[in-house]
Amino acid sequence: MAMTESDHDRIVAAVAAAESKTAGEIYCVLSPAVSDYRETPLAWATAAALILPAGALLLGFEPQSLTRWFGGWTVGHTAATDATILAALTTYVALQAAVFVVAALVVAIPPVRRALTPASLKAERVHRAAMEQFLSHGLHATRDRTGVLLFASLAERRAEVVADEGIYKVTDPAVWDEVVDLLIKGLKRRKTADGFVAAVELSGRILAAHVPLGADNPNELPDRLVELPAPGKA
């Protein structure tokens, strides 16, 4: 679901309100996807090509029978046995190639590819993307190391909260689990903006309790939601 200008305004207002009560800095990033998982079709196609034909053999399938279905060839010399074995092996290899191509094409369909990508790989890619955004937007460079990144990925329906050193040392990491849950609920309900607003508001309460306002509280990071392009697009 596309984010509207009104959605952006709501998130900006939520960040400004949250930061008015804390020395912490909240930054929001939304990604349509963190990876295209090009290795997933290759992995599934390779597994299918290795397992399915072998499984068919165990169930009694005879590769040379396919040569009869499609005309095959006739062996009329003393090397008939060798020719039959060659025909069977050739047919088996052709069957493997066919299974590989069909499986790769099916798994390459984006929804299928995402569904068949292991959850652990998705989690690793989301975490890596969150850390890259944390560094690229300078959240590690605030004066008192009080930057907090709220990162969500639409395709993976996963979220990460990355807190800098000044926040991490005064809060229990477990307190951010609920913030992550709010972001994920928003993604799953197709109400991404609501998820960000709720997550920002809770983050503000956590930060106000642990990193209160000081005498000098400059706004070091812009109050905004950054929407990233899809993987492979500028």
Side-chain angles (χ1 to χ4, degrees):
M1 181 177 179
M3 300 289 280
T4 65
E5 184 176 348
S6 175
D7 291 331
H8 279 267
D9 290 343
R10 291 172 56 208
I11 293 168
V12 168
V15 173
E19 290 184 353
S20 69
K21 302 178 178 65
T22 174
E25 296 283 341
I26 300 172
Y27 201 84
C28 301
V29 176
L30 175 65
S31 175
V34 298
S35 175
D36 53 17
Y37 304 105
R38 293 184 180 182
E39 65 270 49
T40 297
L42 178 61
W44 279 92
T46 301
L50 291 174
I51 296 172
L52 294 182
L57 285 179
L58 293 175
L59 294 175
F61 170 72
E62 296 180 356
Q64 63 269 29
S65 66
L66 289 180
T67 63
R68 293 194 293 271
W69 295 352
F70 298 102
W73 57 41
T74 300
V75 179
H77 52 75
T78 56
T81 300
D82 290 343
T84 300
I85 293 173
L86 178 61
L89 289 175
T90 301
T91 303
Y92 184 82
V93 171
L95 181 60
Q96 280 190 311
V99 169
F100 180 93
V101 171
V102 171
L105 290 174
V106 171
V107 181
I109 300 171
V112 177
R113 183 171 62 222
R114 286 194 296 269
L116 294 180
T117 298
S120 59
L121 179 59
K122 293 178 185 177
E124 186 275 330
R125 294 285 169 84
V126 170
H127 177 72
R128 182 197 302 175
M131 294 304 299
E132 289 173 352
Q133 291 300 310
F134 184 87
L135 295 174
S136 65
H137 291 291
L139 273 80
H140 63 298
T142 59
R143 184 180 60 187
D144 297 318
R145 306 293 297 271
T146 55
V148 176
L149 173 70
L150 307 186
F151 179 89
S153 180
L154 286 169
E156 286 80 7
R157 292 187 177 182
R158 290 179 176 272
E160 289 260 341
V161 174
V162 183
D164 203 0
E165 181 180 295
I167 304 297
Y168 187 81
K169 68 183 181 182
V170 296
T171 60
D172 182 346
V175 304
W176 300 106
D177 291 345
E178 189 177 350
V179 177
V180 171
D181 288 342
L182 289 171
L183 289 169
I184 293 175
K185 286 178 182 177
L187 296 175
K188 291 183 176 180
R189 294 173 180 170
R190 300 179 65 82
K191 294 184 177 181
T192 306
D194 290 349
F196 266 103
V197 169
V200 167
E201 291 173 347
L202 178 55
S203 297
R205 293 194 293 271
I206 294 171
L207 291 171
H210 295 88
V211 190
L213 283 171
D216 179 23
N217 185 43
N219 190 14
E220 299 180 75
L221 297 171
D223 301 339
R224 59 182 299 206
L225 169 70
V226 174
E227 289 192 77
L228 302 178
K233 295 183 179 180

